[in-house]
Amino acid sequence: MGDIIYDASSRCWILQMEASTYCIGLSSDDTSLQHLYWGPRIASAEALEMAHPPGSSLVPFESATGISREEYAPWGEMRFSEPSLKVEYTDGTRVIEWVFEEHGLDRAGESQTLWLRFRDRAYPFTVTLYYRIYEGHDVIERWVRLENSGGSGPVTIEQALSADWQLPSSGRYRLTYLHGRWGKETQVAQTILGPGKVVLESRRGATSHQFNPWVALDPEARATEESGEVWSAALAWSGSWKIVVERTPYGEVHCAGGVNDFDFRYRLDEGARLELPAFVGLYSSEGFGGVSRGWHAYEREQVFPEAPEAVRPVLYNSWEATEFAVNERNQMELAEKAAELGVEVFVMDDGWFGMRHTEYAGLGDWTINPEKFPHGLNPLIARVHALGMRFGLWVEPEMVNPDSNLYRAHPDWVYHFRHRSRTEGRNQLVLNLAREDVRAWVYATLDTLLSEQQIEFVKWDMNRYFSEPGWPDEAGRNPERVWLEHVRTLYGIIDELRRRHPQVAFESCAGGGGRVDLGILSRVEQVWPSDNTDALDRLRIQEGFSYAYAPRVMMCWVTDCPNFVTKRTVPLRYRFHVAMAGALGIGGDLSRWTPQEREEARGFIATYKRVRATIQNGLLYRLRSPRAGSVAASQYVARDGSEVVVFVWGHSQQFGETRVALPLRGLEEEAHYADSISGATYSGAYFAQKGLPVNLVGDFDSRMIHLVRTTPAR
Ligand code: GLA
């Protein structure tokens, strides 16, 4: 049972979660909130014993507060490590001195939210720290609300992070994080923290391919895939962000994160409030696998817009098949072929609008191209529906090509500075969503599109990052707010579209995985992890993705060979087995698939539909990392334990070694499990000890094994 307890005598708050405890307390003078405990679950009385840490000895050149373990550090006094908050008041005062004012606890359904309000001693400025926990989880959502209650002018926010996570004093920590670039997203990296800071960030206006806002920390690099303590944190923000992991000169490690302060300034007018995005923390004593399962469960139950048990449909996307050359005829042909395979959503990608024949023109002109679709989209949509599929459409609403009617009419609608170039990325510029006229136009355009056509799926793309993020008309009136407002407007538009068109599911894409984070994932059903659809490369991308995000939202397409990125050719079966590890899609040119390939595909899709609930929503065990050798494997256990799916992918065979035995995880020792094809039945204990035997022959061989529990659950 989770609960938040306040102990008035020690002025401490204890957050009791499923298997962990978190404890914070006020300093005796009410001017600082101290971190006391975060780790395995302990009794509240034990947590309170931490309320009186041994008095720290005086350190020359430091103050006691400056080197204490604060939950949120307003810049001021003698604080020299990464601050959480820095502001400037109208009279030029640039430090904060705050004092605790009030706290409260809100209970709603399965969640409890603790809030603690601090007020500046001299200025009408308050900071409220929020902590939310959920029944059955070991997750803490932390965020902050800043408020200017008025009377002494605007307050300029220069840095405002969402939370600062203090790690237990355990010596050396290892940091695990996800990095990459276009076509190579979510690669796992690890480093031992030395003294100083590691800064992971995006200054790009969006989440970024380069770093994903997710980290894990384990003391002494002791954690393995299935054992050891790991503390993890992830940001719910799709704009420029920053996570600072710092080891202080006194050996303490903390991890502060939120909106990036680079080029940032936000003017909080009198009476205004600013709510910062959540920086979510999670503790697990079951290694990296435990951390991932903790994140997946939290996402499914508390973050994703769909119900925890919902399953994503099998999707077809036209991009790799027809690129910009879409038309009624070729899309209908692809739709017929897709339906025959068992596809459930048909998505027409880029190229259907304006003068969009190449990437040089048309973005911004969201009217149906009359040459490609002389009768509009309705005949195609009707055909797709008649074939029993849902219809989806690609859009990139935040962007404009200079060669477009929109740009010709509104050259001032894009981010730009006077006397400076407008640097193009993929021949396009970014619309200034902070402008009310632009926001209204984007919303109305999409609302009309979704109202006039029976569209059930939107792939929302974003194919460049920000440059020259200026807004000349607002010079002197805080144009730097665009860093925040762009993302808030984006969220607002998607939220409003979802309310008005509840039948539409959304996919977030940014040239692949450039916008994958807990913020966007609370308002889209799925994401596109990478434009790289090469099955072997995908194993590495999908592995890193799975550290932070649930398989259900990970869209994976089977595409044609040789792959357009790697020029590699691998068997269709291997491509299917890799793509079936998430939400399955097809992205190949079906008009060129042979009858035999189509027959094979039909079989894989039918199999996938039988087991997808377990893959998308089950417990994931990464049995073998694709980074560790020539065989990789993942196992999924249904939440009720009734079935198990294992994928084994071998990429190159050496020395004639064909046999692999994979000890399985998460099974009931005494239960029996039968292979749904061969019928071979063994106990959970056998599979855990002896392992699941698999024979892989040659290069790029793969298997999917489906085990069904035959003895009743305990
Ligand atoms: C991006 C996406 C692709 C495709 C193209 C269309 O690159 O990641 O999947 O939609 O845009 O231009």
Side-chain angles (χ1 to χ4, degrees):
M1 259 293 282
D3 205 6
I4 298 181
I5 301 145
Y6 174 59
D7 180 69
S9 62
S10 58
R11 318 241 311 173
C12 287
W13 293 266
I14 306 154
L15 283 61
Q16 290 292 14
M17 291 161 283
E18 181 70 8
S20 56
T21 301
Y22 192 90
C23 185
I24 55 181
L26 274 178
S27 63
S28 51
D29 60 359
D30 276 6
T31 62
S32 144
L33 184 65
Q34 291 291 315
H35 178 79
L36 302 173
Y37 179 82
W38 187 18
R41 188 158 167 145
I42 53 174
S44 297
E46 289 172 324
L48 288 176
E49 281 177 24
M50 326 250 176
H52 307 288
S56 53
S57 50
L58 197 63
V59 180
F61 287 85
E62 307 280 13
S63 74
T65 311
I67 61 173
S68 71
R69 289 151 56 74
E70 287 183 289
E71 283 285 298
Y72 196 77
W75 188 62
E77 216 239 63
M78 284 174 69
R79 291 183 175 95
F80 303 113
S81 66
E82 185 71 23
S84 311
L85 181 67
K86 180 173 186 298
V87 305
E88 179 171 357
Y89 295 108
T90 321
D91 63 3
T93 293
R94 299 202 309 279
V95 298
I96 302 171
E97 286 182 11
W98 73 11
V99 62
F100 175 71
E101 192 178 70
E102 213 188 338
H103 77 277
L105 186 62
D106 303 328
R107 291 173 204 267
E110 295 180 335
S111 74
Q112 295 185 38
T113 308
L114 166 70
W115 55 267
L116 302 119
R117 185 156 54 241
F118 291 80
R119 172 179 291 279
D120 193 291
R121 280 183 190 286
Y123 298 87
F125 179 64
T126 61
V127 181
T128 311
L129 310 183
Y130 290 86
Y131 294 80
R132 177 173 292 164
I133 62 170
Y134 295 93
E135 195 59 50
H137 295 274
D138 286 296
V139 158
I140 309 170
E141 289 175 355
R142 288 184 57 186
W143 74 98
V144 173
R145 178 189 286 170
L146 308 175
E147 194 166 351
N148 178 352
S149 37
S152 68
V155 181
T156 303
I157 316 291
E158 294 181 346
Q159 172 163 0
L161 300 182
S162 296
D164 191 356
W165 297 103
Q166 299 282 346
L167 280 297
S169 310
S170 284
R172 287 184 332 146
Y173 271 88
R174 173 173 59 179
L175 169 68
T176 303
Y177 59 103
L178 303 171
H179 73 108
R181 57 172 165 77
W182 178 86
K184 193 185 175 189
E185 295 87 338
T186 50
Q187 302 295 301
V188 178
Q190 296 194 309
T191 183
I192 301 288
L193 293 176
K197 292 177 181 177
V198 174
V199 180
L200 306 173
E201 66 172 357
S202 161
R203 296 181 174 192
R204 296 165 182 264
T207 322
S208 97
H209 302 76
Q210 285 68 20
F211 296 99
N212 191 272
W214 175 94
V215 293
L217 289 147
D218 68 305
E220 303 297 341
R222 267 196 305 260
T224 66
E225 183 59 24
E226 294 302 333
S227 73
E229 296 191 280
V230 184
W231 285 261
S232 183
L235 260 176
W237 184 241
S238 313
S240 292
W241 57 272
K242 170 167 119 168
I243 295 179
V244 178
V245 188
E246 181 172 21
R247 196 177 129 195
T248 71
Y250 310 99
E252 305 288 3
V253 171
H254 68 128
C255 172
V259 170
N260 204 327
D261 55 310
F262 175 76
D263 191 45
F264 180 73
R265 222 163 307 142
Y266 192 87
R267 196 185 66 200
L268 200 60
D269 289 323
E270 296 195 351
R273 284 173 172 183
L274 176 63
E275 192 130 331
L276 299 165
F279 191 24
V280 189
L282 167 71
Y283 167 82
S284 173
S285 60
E286 291 169 17
F288 295 102
V291 156
S292 299
R293 289 186 291 278
W295 282 119
H296 300 171
Y298 160 69
E299 290 157 0
R300 287 176 48 256
E301 290 173 26
Q302 306 298 345
V303 179
F304 298 160
E306 283 187 303
E309 301 310 328
V311 288
R312 297 305 309 144
V314 177
L315 176 150
Y316 179 81
N317 180 293
S318 68
W319 174 243
E320 289 195 28
T322 41
E323 293 204 345
F324 299 101
V326 295
N327 59 43
E328 190 177 292
R329 189 191 46 73
N330 65 24
Q331 296 306 294
M332 280 201 190
E333 189 189 332
L334 287 170
E336 315 251 339
K337 296 240 152 51
E340 276 171 32
L341 302 188
V343 165
E344 297 159 305
V345 188
F346 179 86
V347 183
M348 177 162 66
D349 209 278
D350 201 349
W352 58 269
F353 52 90
M355 289 289 111
R356 187 72 169 166
H357 301 295
T358 63
E359 60 179 49
Y360 289 91
L363 274 184
D365 299 339
W366 300 104
T367 47
I368 300 160
N369 181 295
E371 285 157 36
K372 297 177 179 178
F373 297 92
H375 320 287
L377 294 183
N378 285 335
L380 171 62
I381 297 178
R383 188 77 198 114
V384 167
H385 287 161
L387 289 165
M389 297 183 292
R390 284 170 250 174
F391 180 77
L393 200 60
W394 179 96
V395 291
E396 197 181 353
E398 298 150 88
M399 299 291 160
V400 63
N401 285 122
D403 186 359
S404 67
N405 295 334
L406 181 73
Y407 189 73
R408 282 184 282 272
H410 299 288
D412 53 337
W413 274 16
V414 298
Y415 294 117
H416 66 284
F417 286 115
R418 290 203 177 113
H419 313 299
R420 292 290 171 255
S421 316
R422 298 182 178 198
T423 307
E424 292 175 21
R426 207 192 190 206
N427 318 296
Q428 61 198 56
L429 298 167
V430 188
L431 291 174
N432 180 349
L433 289 200
R435 289 177 63 121
E436 174 48 29
D437 47 3
V438 175
R439 186 209 64 77
W441 175 85
V442 171
Y443 175 75
T445 304
L446 293 167
D447 182 49
T448 307
L449 194 64
L450 298 181
S451 305
E452 289 179 355
Q453 258 75 220
Q454 278 192 44
I455 294 168
E456 286 110 353
F457 182 94
V458 165
K459 174 175 171 184
W460 185 303
D461 211 337
M462 185 209 190
N463 278 312
R464 63 156 295 173
Y465 295 124
F466 292 23
S467 61
E468 300 96 23
W471 186 358
D473 292 347
E474 287 291 284
R477 289 194 294 263
N478 188 211
E480 305 86 353
R481 70 182 187 275
V482 300
W483 291 116
L484 265 190
E485 297 304 358
H486 186 100
V487 183
R488 300 206 310 179
T489 307
L490 167 80
Y491 286 173
I493 292 174
I494 298 178
D495 292 348
E496 191 53 30
L497 289 171
R498 294 186 67 93
R499 261 192 297 279
R500 286 256 305 153
H501 306 278
Q503 79 285 4
V504 182
F506 287 78
E507 175 176 279
S508 166
C509 170
R515 191 148 64 193
V516 178
D517 57 80
L518 295 178
I520 201 75
L521 279 167
S522 68
R523 39 182 61 84
V524 299
E525 277 75 4
Q526 60 187 58
V527 293
W528 180 229
S530 181
D531 280 344
N532 185 344
T533 51
D534 173 85
L536 180 61
D537 287 4
R538 266 295 179 124
L539 281 182
R540 296 267 295 267
I541 295 167
Q542 294 179 187
E543 180 197 35
F545 187 100
S546 79
Y547 270 58
Y549 308 109
R552 179 169 99 201
V553 297
M554 181 173 79
M555 178 57 0
C556 311
W557 304 343
V558 174
T559 57
D560 294 335
C561 284
N563 181 272
F564 85 102
V565 178
T566 61
K567 314 293 177 239
R568 187 181 286 120
T569 296
V570 301
L572 189 63
R573 174 163 76 170
Y574 187 86
R575 280 177 271 155
F576 261 100
H577 282 160
V578 171
M580 287 161 79
L584 176 63
I586 311 287
D589 184 354
L590 294 179
S591 65
R592 298 204 324 242
W593 285 26
T594 63
Q596 194 198 335
E597 284 172 324
R598 295 209 298 272
E599 188 54 41
E600 231 187 302
R602 221 187 333 268
F604 284 119
I605 290 174
T607 304
Y608 177 74
K609 286 179 181 170
R610 282 199 292 276
V611 295
R612 69 175 152 192
T614 294
I615 294 169
Q616 294 186 16
N617 294 323
L619 298 164
L620 169 66
Y621 295 87
R622 290 178 294 256
L623 299 181
R624 284 210 191 179
S625 167
R627 290 171 291 145
S630 63
V631 175
S634 286
Q635 178 197 342
Y636 306 78
V637 180
R639 283 190 183 256
D640 64 1
S642 61
E643 68 169 6
V644 179
V645 177
V646 181
F647 288 107
V648 191
W649 307 282
H651 69 73
S652 56
Q653 199 169 80
Q654 289 191 288
F655 314 114
E657 288 161 1
T658 54
R659 203 175 157 78
V660 200
L662 296 162
L664 300 186
R665 305 275 185 181
L667 303 188
E668 292 163 38
E669 285 190 3
E670 284 137 44
H672 282 77
Y673 298 84
D675 185 312
S676 67
I677 292 174
S678 70
T681 304
Y682 295 98
S683 67
Y686 178 92
F687 279 125
Q689 299 305 321
K690 291 284 285 181
L692 173 75
V694 180
N695 264 319
L696 295 173
V697 182
D699 294 347
F700 296 110
D701 195 9
S702 58
R703 294 282 181 281
M704 185 194 106
I705 296 103
H706 177 215
L707 304 174
V708 179
R709 189 179 57 198
T710 55
T711 41
R714 267 173 301 182

